[in-house]
Amino acid sequence: MDNKQTIHFLKKLMLFQDLNEEELMQVQEIASSRLLAKKSTIFTEGSPKEAVYFIQEGLVKAYKTDESGHEQIVSFLKIGDMFPHTGLFNASPYPATAESIIETTLIVIPIAKFEGLVMRMPMIAIKMMRVMGDKIKELQEKLQMLSEQDVKHRILSFLLLLAEQHGLSKANIITINLPVTHQEFANCVGTTRESVNRLLNQLSKDRLIEVERNRIIVNDLEALKLLREFK
């Protein structure tokens, strides 16, 4: 990716949406591009934070591992997403492990170089922190929404979230191209694979969705929303 392409990519990111051309050029100068093969570990939970990443192409999952070695997926990350969410203004270690789901291209911004940049141009930090405040509020609202629901409604809410964030819409049909297992789906909402299988099978039987290899097709989004609202 050349300098112009990198600046164009950065300009589309929410975090940098308020920066002017000169500020974007300064960010581009400290950024680099990295191509990762499928299932590559980007960083591990607890390791020192050296950089923040933005997805140009591909998909990434962030997960934690409990004392029993069970994987708890924190989030699926798509094109344009930044991770970790603690971002450029927090020196704490990486809060989770990140792994590419498919071949993925990342824009990498080293923490040390970014700190040097904001020392020279503090307005960059001020503009970015305003945007991050809005993002934190959005994440808190989503977390609260999921934590207050039972298993069925958590699964439905997560399915709708996938449709919103990863779905491709055509003729009222939404295709979610996300190569994850039912176990990974279950890890995201804190339930068992059997519970996910049972509900997805019922939704398929009702023709609301179709479950295929590496994708879910949503045939009736509004019906799924109504089902989620029904207590």
Side-chain angles (χ1 to χ4, degrees), residues 120-136:
R120 300 193 309 270
M121 303 180 68
M123 197 62 198
I124 289 179
I126 293 171
K127 291 179 178 179
M128 291 172 63
M129 289 178 75
R130 289 171 183 164
V131 175
M132 288 179 68
D134 293 336
K135 182 63 175 177
I136 290 170

Side-chain angles (χ1 to χ4, degrees), residues 59-61 71 73 75-76 101-102 158 162 166 176-186 188 200 211-216:
L59 290 168
V60 169
K61 68 176 180 179
E71 184 180 293
I73 294 179
S75 58
F76 291 109
I101 298 174
I102 59 176
F158 185 64
L162 290 178
H166 299 277
I176 306 168
N177 293 304
L178 197 63
V180 296
T181 66
H182 285 186
Q183 183 61 61
E184 290 173 321
F185 192 120
C188 285
L200 293 183
V211 180
E212 300 181 358
R213 182 179 177 85
N214 292 337
R215 68 177 183 174
I216 297 175

Side-chain angles (χ1 to χ4, degrees), residues 34 36-45 47 53 61 63 96-100 106:
R34 183 181 302 174
L36 299 173
K38 178 181 178 181
K39 293 193 174 182
S40 296
T41 299
I42 301 162
F43 53 75
T44 57
E45 181 179 358
S47 60
Y53 304 85
K61 68 176 180 179
Y63 64 91
T97 298
E99 179 185 292
S100 57
L106 302 174

Side-chain angles (χ1 to χ4, degrees), residues 157-170:
S157 291
F158 185 64
L159 184 59
L160 288 167
L161 187 62
L162 290 178
E164 174 191 340
Q165 295 188 343
H166 299 277
L168 299 175
S169 181
K170 184 177 181 181

